[in-house]
Amino acid sequence: MSVTSPFRRTTSLSRSRRWAFAALAAFTLVTAPAAAAAPAASAPDAGVLATAHKSPFNCGKTFYANNWSGGHNPNGSIDWQSYGGDAINGETVRATAAGTATFDDEGGTSYGKWVQIVHGDGTRTRYAHLATMVRAPGQTMSVSQGTVIGTVGSTGGSEAPHLHYEQRGSTGVVDTSPTVEGVTVSVGQKKAVTSTNACGGSTNPYTPTEVCGSGFSVIDQAALGTVGRTYLLYNSGTGANCVVTLKATNLGTPSAVSAFLEPQGSSRTTDSGSYSYYAGPVKRSAPGTCVRWGGSVGSAGYTSPFEHCG
């Protein structure tokens, strides 16, 4: 992806200003509609307000949305930070609205690992400093509101784990008063926001990394029509692969689901049955070996070629 990000490492002076400001401010979570438009020079495209965004985290999770002033670049972006006893590092990151996601990696500078989602009205959201992404840099995928796109980290020009988040208009102008979960967070405000993303019967409450466990990251996935998705994960520390298939329909009701994993030259391991939410995890150690993987929900299935041989 050729988009150049403006985000750069924050100076110690700007950090001290940020935290000094945060210590003095005490803001209450509100659910009022978006505030009055910013001055014309910094006003976002109207489409930003037309798209309803949820929090980028799992259902029920509460984190601070900090739209701090005094050196944040770009002005108006949000840093999602730990709230109470819930540390944000490693948290699952979800799309705040549907659209087409593009994945990028700027290494040890700027956004680091980051994702941009272009929504149906042309507006955009950005998610930066990710520890992991569900696709490789340069790849794209269609996402729904709540689709997992990565995990929180501290890559690029970041000095502590957090999620850098932006809402932009169709021309790229940053909305300096973004609204998430009906809560508007203007420049200089820090508010605790509770997620309703991926809540309810229409979204699977489990994620691939939760099912496979600590150390695993998604390296590939395949849609099973509209009824589910199967994922391949890898643990670089142990050389183990993991496959899980998540349902998207009949959630909470047992129905046919399967997941399988087959290292080249070895037998296939399969988990299949009548499950409420997912099949798996199917784990096999196969360092330096190609694998065939896949799964099914009902009659919809996917079988990969032998791949991911590193």
Side-chain angles (χ1 to χ4, degrees), residues 17-59:
R17 286 175 178 169
R18 177 180 70 175
W19 292 113
F21 184 88
L24 293 172
F27 294 99
T28 304
L29 186 149
V30 297
T31 55
S42 59
D45 299 78
V48 172
L49 301 179
T51 298
H53 293 274
K54 294 196 172 186
S55 166
F57 303 108
N58 286 340
C59 178

Side-chain angles (χ1 to χ4, degrees), residues 98-219:
T100 300
T102 302
F103 299 80
D104 201 356
D105 188 352
E106 298 183 18
T109 64
S110 192
Y111 287 140
K113 290 183 172 67
W114 68 290
V115 179
Q116 175 168 272
I117 300 176
V118 178
H119 307 289
D121 57 4
T123 61
R124 316 162 194 178
T125 47
R126 293 185 176 185
Y127 314 71
H129 307 313
L130 299 173
T132 63
M133 303 185 297
V134 300
R135 293 284 190 184
Q139 293 188 330
T140 63
M141 66 180 286
S142 178
V143 298
S144 302
Q145 187 174 67
T147 297
V148 175
I149 58 174
T151 58
V152 174
S154 189
T155 59
S158 169
E159 297 174 352
H162 68 284
L163 178 66
H164 177 95
Y165 173 78
E166 302 170 17
Q167 291 181 5
R168 292 175 174 249
S170 57
T171 62
V173 176
V174 177
D175 184 354
T176 56
S177 294
T179 300
V180 179
E181 299 285 356
V183 179
T184 299
V185 187
S186 299
V187 173
Q189 294 186 325
K190 178 180 179 181
K191 299 181 179 181
V193 179
T194 299
S195 176
T196 64
N197 208 346
C199 291
S202 62
T203 304
N204 198 310
Y206 295 93
T207 67
T209 50
E210 288 172 337
V211 176
C212 288
S214 177
F216 284 93
S217 298
V218 174
I219 60 172

Side-chain angles (χ1 to χ4, degrees), residues 206-264:
Y206 295 93
T207 67
T209 50
E210 288 172 337
V211 176
C212 288
S214 177
F216 284 93
S217 298
V218 174
I219 60 172
D220 208 344
Q221 58 183 289
L224 305 174
T226 60
V227 297
R229 187 174 290 268
T230 187
Y231 298 84
L232 175 67
L233 296 87
Y234 185 69
N235 187 320
S236 59
T238 64
N241 298 273
C242 180
V243 177
V244 58
T245 301
L246 301 183
K247 295 169 56 177
T249 58
N250 298 318
L251 296 174
T253 301
S255 61
V257 196
S258 73
F260 73 85
L261 179 58
E262 179 185 345
Q264 194 165 22

Side-chain angles (χ1 to χ4, degrees), residues 2-14:
S2 60
V3 177
T4 301
S5 79
F7 188 86
R8 291 295 180 265
R9 184 178 296 276
T10 309
T11 65
S12 59
L13 175 60
S14 64

